[in-house]
Amino acid sequence: MANFRKRTILTGFMGVGKSTVARHLSNILKERKMDLDDYIVKIERRTIPEILEAGGLDKFRRLETKYLGEILNSDIRIIALGGGAWTLDENRRLIREKDCTTIWLESTFEHCWRNIKFSRFERPLAKDKIEARRLFDERQQLYCLADWHFVIKSGNNSYDVAKQIAKEVFAK
C-alpha cells in the first residue's frame, strides 16, 4: 500500500455511506481523507441547507466545484463527494485532469432512503421520498461513469466495503 499515490474519489447517492467508507479507507491505506461537504461547511461557516437557502442550488454547485479544485490541489488522497458533485461535467473534468481513481458506491434506493431519513444532517434535496427517488434514478446514469463500482450489499458494513476497495483497487 506504500505505493498508493493516486487520489481516490468516492461517489454515489446521498446516504450510501461515502463519508464512512472514506474514513475506513483512510485508516486502512494510511492516507488523508476529506469529505467535500464537510470542507464546504467548514470554509463557508454555514451548513449546506443555509448555503442553499441563501444562494440556491446553482451557487452551491459553483462552491462545490471551487472547493473540489482546492482539495484536488492539496495532499488529500481520499475524497468523498457530495451526492450531486459527480453529476457536473466540470467536476468530472477536474477529477479526470488530476488522474484520480473514481469509485461508485451503489446500493438500493431503500438503503439510501433509510439512511437519509435517520441522518442527523438535513438533506434539502431529499425532503420527501418521491423527490429523493427521482434524483436517485436520474443520477445512476452518471455514477456509472466511475472507474470502479462497488455494490453495498445487505450484511456488508462500511468497513467491509473499505477493505474490499483496498484489496481490489490498491493491492500490489
Side-chain angles (χ1 to χ4, degrees), residues 32-74:
R32 292 182 61 210
K33 60 106 179 136
M34 178 63 64
D35 181 285
L36 179 58
D37 285 348
D38 290 348
Y39 187 77
I40 292 169
V41 167
K42 178 181 174 186
I43 300 298
E44 290 294 312
R45 296 186 180 136
R46 295 181 289 168
T47 66
I48 290 174
E50 290 169 341
I51 295 168
L52 287 166
E53 175 81 22
L57 185 57
D58 288 341
K59 167 82 170 164
F60 176 72
R61 293 292 182 220
R62 285 192 302 275
L63 288 173
E64 209 171 37
T65 299
K66 173 185 174 185
Y67 294 130
L68 175 61
E70 286 183 13
I71 295 170
L72 289 172
N73 285 320
S74 74

Side-chain angles (χ1 to χ4, degrees), residues 67-110:
Y67 294 130
L68 175 61
E70 286 183 13
I71 295 170
L72 289 172
N73 285 320
S74 74
D75 64 347
I76 302 295
R77 292 288 171 216
I78 299 167
I79 303 164
L81 298 180
W86 181 256
T87 66
L88 297 181
D89 291 336
E90 176 70 7
N91 292 343
R92 291 192 309 275
R93 183 188 61 74
L94 286 170
I95 291 165
R96 216 174 17 257
E97 285 175 358
K98 292 294 183 177
D99 193 31
C100 300
T101 297
T102 55
I103 298 171
W104 171 25
L105 298 179
E106 181 189 16
S107 192
T108 65
F109 172 75
E110 290 303 325

